[in-house]
Every structure is written in structure tokens, then in C-alpha cells.
Amino acid sequence: MQFRNFKMVGYVVYGRGSFNQLDEIIAPHRKAGAPMVFLLDHYFQGKPLESRIPLRGNDVLLYADVTYEPKTTQVDRIASELKEAYGTVSGIIGIGGGSTMDLAKAVSLMMGNTGSSADYQGWDLVKQPGVYKVGIPTLSGTGAEVSRTTVLTGPTRKLGMNSDFTPFDQIVLDPELTKDAPKNQRFYTGMDCYIHCIESLEGTYLNEFSKSYGEKALQLCREVFLEEPHWTDECDDKLMMASYAGGMSIAYSQVGVAHAVSYGLSYLLGTKHGIGNCIVFDQLEEFYPAGVAEFKRMVAKDGYEIPKGICANLTDEQFDKMIDVSLGMKPLWENALGKNWEAQMTRSRLRALYEKL
Ligand code: NAD
Ligand code: ZN
């Protein structure tokens, strides 16, 4: 097919306090005897949000351990435990950051598919729908709430389950839920959105669809991270919509150099997505000069911490592994550098870039 025909999220509710509507929203999707499963980011264990979850009947509340980013083994374990205990479930509701939302998407898919989630890492390998799934972000920036992928670290690679069955059936965008996010974490995840915008807008895959969303998201990022003197509730409102629009922008284009390089870091060192993107983007003047200069102003404005020297003691073998993982992200490089990207991004150039991080 020449033009991408992409599947979007089914329903969207937006607004402060909209989380309170969850019970009503999911009611029509409850099936007799089959529980709703709430996958709650472990940060919220014992916090007030936990007691607001509309548990009914034999509903299940699971805490998503996101100490590490989601793994195929973690997805498989949760899905097989649910299948064993209940046969099927009415739905999976992920409440948390990008990691928890991705876990919820992947577990939902594995409730309808056999084998391991690792078998479906790639593009359009998922052939059966999963169960009903809802995404409720508590951090803004990844765009995982709107994307058609769920990024998983598997036995041999870090790659998403990209498919038309992956987007959520419903998302609940309640900016109040992001209120207590720690300042640095909020910045790292928010910068994921900023970087999505720059990579999309500066990429060769750009079209008017992506541009329209990317420009709006970028404007909102600038307002909250550069123009506002202090963080306010309105900033949370704006950043949540920036994340949504940034996600929509890359849905019809692709990310670029920062993501391709940070996937290598994450695979080898376990560096998390948001902070990893910041560490890499900080060194990408040669690819995105204006974006990197603006990023540095955002960092300086509120004094965020961007680690340095994380590749200082790596062996040749480790650099090679990161380079392999990174160069495997072909569409990202092609979007960033064009069709002849392989001639431009040689292994030695990439090695030199990793050495700077
Ligand atoms: P995260 O989900 O990994 O969470 C980071 C930390 O913040 C965790 O310790 C979590 O417990 C905590 N946290 C979450 N909400 C909080 C809150 N309101 N207050 C305080 N702490 C809170 O972080 P993220 O940056 O949102 O997500 C990164 C993940 O998203 C990675 O796994 C990445 O691969 C994935 N991702 C997916 C897509 C996609 O399209 N599917 C896109 C980008 C990133
Ligand atoms: Zn990202």
C-alpha cells in the first residue's frame, strides 16, 4: 500500500477529573465472570489514586513493576497467570507512565494470541485482536497513549509489537494524574515528546499531517519548558496534549537519530527511554542544530540533570553491540538522513558519537 492506513485509538476522554468517569466508561465492556484487570504503576501503591480505582466483582488489581522497562518475559508471565486464573478477562486497564501503558497493551494482545510476545516483536506480526484495553497516562510525553506500538525488550532485541491491534480502545487523559511527578522525571518524559517533534519535523518522511501535529506539540513544549516562569496546573494540561499531538505526529512519520542511538544505550545499559534520549540529544548538534540549542536552553532554565560520561568504560565488544542495535533501526535512520543513510552513518561515525555520551 502506498499510503499508510493507520489505526487510531477508539475513544478519547480529556479533562481534569475525567478519571472519575472510568467506572461508567468501562461498564459496557464488562463480561459476566471475566474480571477487569487494572495494571497500576507501582509508584501509586498505597497512594490516593489506588483507592479511586473502580474495582467491582472479581476485578483484579496488579502493580506494574516498572523498575526496568517492559520485557517480553514480564508480559508473558502476566498474561499466562491471567489465562490460568480466569481463562479470559474483560479488559486490561493500564494506569501509569509509558512503561505501564506499554505493558497493558502487550498483555492485552497476548490474551488473544498464543506463544510469546517475543514472537510478535516487529511490524504487523500480530494477527488476532487482544482483549479490550484502556490507557491512562500519569506522565506526559511518550505518546504511548496514541501509538500503534508497545516497546518491549526481548531475548534478542528491543522492538515494539507494531500492529493495527496495538492501539488502545480507550484513553483517559486526566492531567491531574501527572501533578506529583518528580521534576526531573517530568522533564525527561516531556523531552521525549519534544524530541519526537524535532525528529519528525526535521525528518525526510514529513508530510502535512505529521507537520500539523508536530508543530502544535512543539509550541506547547516551548510554552511549558521555556516561557512559563513556574510549573502550573495549566502546564500539566498542555504537556498532556503535547504528548498526544507528538504521538500523532510520529504515527505518520518516524523518529530519528536520538531514538536510534538511545535504543542502543537502552539495550546494553538499560538506560531508560526519556533520560537516554536526553543524554543523546544533548550531543546531536550536527544533526539538529536549532533543536539542540533550544533543548540546552530548556535544561539550563530549570537546572535539570543530564548525565554525562555513561559510555566512558565500555569495551569494543559493548560498543559494537550498541552499534548493531542502533543500525538495525533502519526506518529511523532513513527518516533522519534520507535513502543513502548507510553511506552517511558509518560504524566509526556512530562509535564516535557513542563515545561522546
Ligand atoms: P516510565 O513509565 O518508565 O516511568 C518512569 C518512572 O516514573 C517510574 O518509576 C514510574 O513508577 C514513575 N511514575 C509514573 N507516573 C508517575 C507520577 N505521576 N508521579 C511520580 N512517579 C511516576 O516513564 P515514561 O517516560 O512515561 O515511559 C518510558 C517508557 O515508555 C519506556 O518503556 C519506553 O520504551 C516507552 N515508550 C513507548 C512508546 C510507544 O509508542 N509505545 C513511545 C515512547 C516511549
Ligand atoms: Zn520516544
Side-chain angles (χ1 to χ4, degrees):
M1 225 189 280
Q2 190 188 354
F3 296 98
R4 191 173 300 168
N5 183 14
F6 78 88
K7 172 78 171 58
M8 291 169 55
V9 164
Y11 289 84
V12 182
V13 58
Y14 173 83
R16 293 192 156 261
S18 58
F19 183 82
N20 294 334
Q21 223 167 283
L22 187 59
D23 194 25
E24 206 181 314
I25 290 171
I26 62 178
H29 300 279
R30 290 183 175 281
K31 297 193 177 87
M36 274 294 174
V37 178
F38 296 86
L39 199 53
L40 179 68
D41 192 310
H42 65 172
Y43 166 79
F44 291 102
Q45 187 167 3
K47 301 259 176 4
L49 183 62
E50 178 175 342
S51 58
R52 292 170 60 200
I53 292 177
L55 291 168
R56 290 183 179 271
N58 63 345
D59 282 358
V60 179
L61 172 60
L62 298 177
Y63 299 111
D65 182 346
V66 294
T67 313
Y68 305 102
E69 293 191 346
K71 293 188 171 68
T72 53
T73 47
Q74 189 182 11
V75 171
D76 294 349
R77 183 177 40 75
I78 300 173
S80 67
E81 282 172 10
L82 289 172
K83 282 178 188 170
E84 216 162 277
Y86 306 100
T88 188
V89 301
S90 292
I92 309 280
I93 300 175
I95 308 167
S99 296
T100 303
M101 287 193 284
D102 274 2
L103 265 181
K105 286 188 197 181
V107 171
S108 155
L109 290 173
M110 291 316 295
M111 293 306 289
N113 287 277
T114 53
S116 162
S117 49
D119 304 337
Y120 303 99
Q121 285 181 284
W123 278 269
D124 301 304
L125 301 174
V126 182
K127 300 295 181 208
Q128 302 294 329
V131 296
Y132 174 73
K133 54 183 159 343
V134 180
I136 308 180
T138 63
L139 286 172
S140 295
T142 64
E145 63 278 20
V146 287
S147 74
R148 81 189 282 279
T149 190
T150 157
V151 184
L152 303 176
T153 303
T156 56
R157 61 207 154 170
K158 183 176 178 193
L159 188 61
M161 294 166 79
N162 294 264
S163 84
D164 281 350
F165 299 113
T166 310
F168 284 115
D169 297 295
Q170 169 83 55
I171 56 175
V172 176
L173 303 179
D174 181 347
E176 221 169 59
L177 306 185
T178 64
K179 193 177 170 53
D180 298 323
K183 180 183 148 182
N184 276 309
Q185 182 63 56
R186 183 175 67 203
F187 183 73
Y188 300 144
T189 304
M191 282 302 107
D192 190 22
C193 174
Y194 178 79
I195 296 167
H196 290 160
C197 296
I198 301 294
E199 291 182 322
S200 169
L201 292 169
E202 304 278 320
T204 61
Y205 289 3
L206 187 66
N207 60 23
E208 203 55 49
F209 184 101
S210 291
K211 195 172 163 202
S212 308
Y213 284 106
E215 285 177 348
K216 184 64 194 177
L218 191 59
Q219 176 207 330
L220 291 166
C221 286
R222 286 178 176 144
E223 287 175 22
V224 303
F225 289 116
L226 278 177
E227 292 165 21
E228 284 292 340
H230 306 289
W231 197 267
T232 60
D233 285 353
E234 209 188 359
C235 294
D236 284 322
D237 297 354
K238 287 181 177 178
L239 193 56
M240 191 160 271
M241 284 319 299
S243 176
Y244 178 92
M248 289 297 289
S249 177
I250 46 172
Y252 223 119
S253 61
Q254 202 21 294
V255 286
V257 181
H259 277 76
V261 176
S262 98
Y263 268 98
L265 286 182
S266 154
Y267 190 84
L268 186 80
L269 305 173
T271 314
K272 294 205 169 181
H273 189 78
I275 194 169
N277 282 348
C278 288
I279 293 169
V280 177
F281 198 68
D282 202 32
Q283 302 294 338
L284 295 185
E285 286 99 337
E286 58 184 307
F287 301 98
Y288 306 112
V292 173
E294 187 169 65
F295 168 81
K296 288 181 189 289
R297 288 204 298 281
M298 290 176 179
V299 172
K301 178 179 170 282
D302 287 315
Y304 299 109
E305 292 152 29
I306 310 296
K308 288 201 166 47
I310 64 165
C311 293
N313 299 313
L314 299 185
T315 63
D316 286 344
E317 207 176 40
Q318 288 176 310
F319 277 112
D320 278 338
K321 183 70 217 168
M322 289 197 295
I323 293 168
D324 290 341
V325 171
S326 178
L327 292 179
M329 313 301 293
K330 294 183 194 319
L332 283 64
W333 288 110
E334 186 180 288
N335 175 48
L337 304 175
K339 292 239 179 283
N340 74 340
W341 66 269
E342 275 163 309
Q344 297 178 57
M345 189 41 71
T346 57
R347 294 185 73 89
S348 59
R349 187 177 182 197
L350 188 50
R351 163 88 186 235
L353 179 52
Y354 273 120
E355 282 174 2
K356 283 207 268 179
L357 304 179

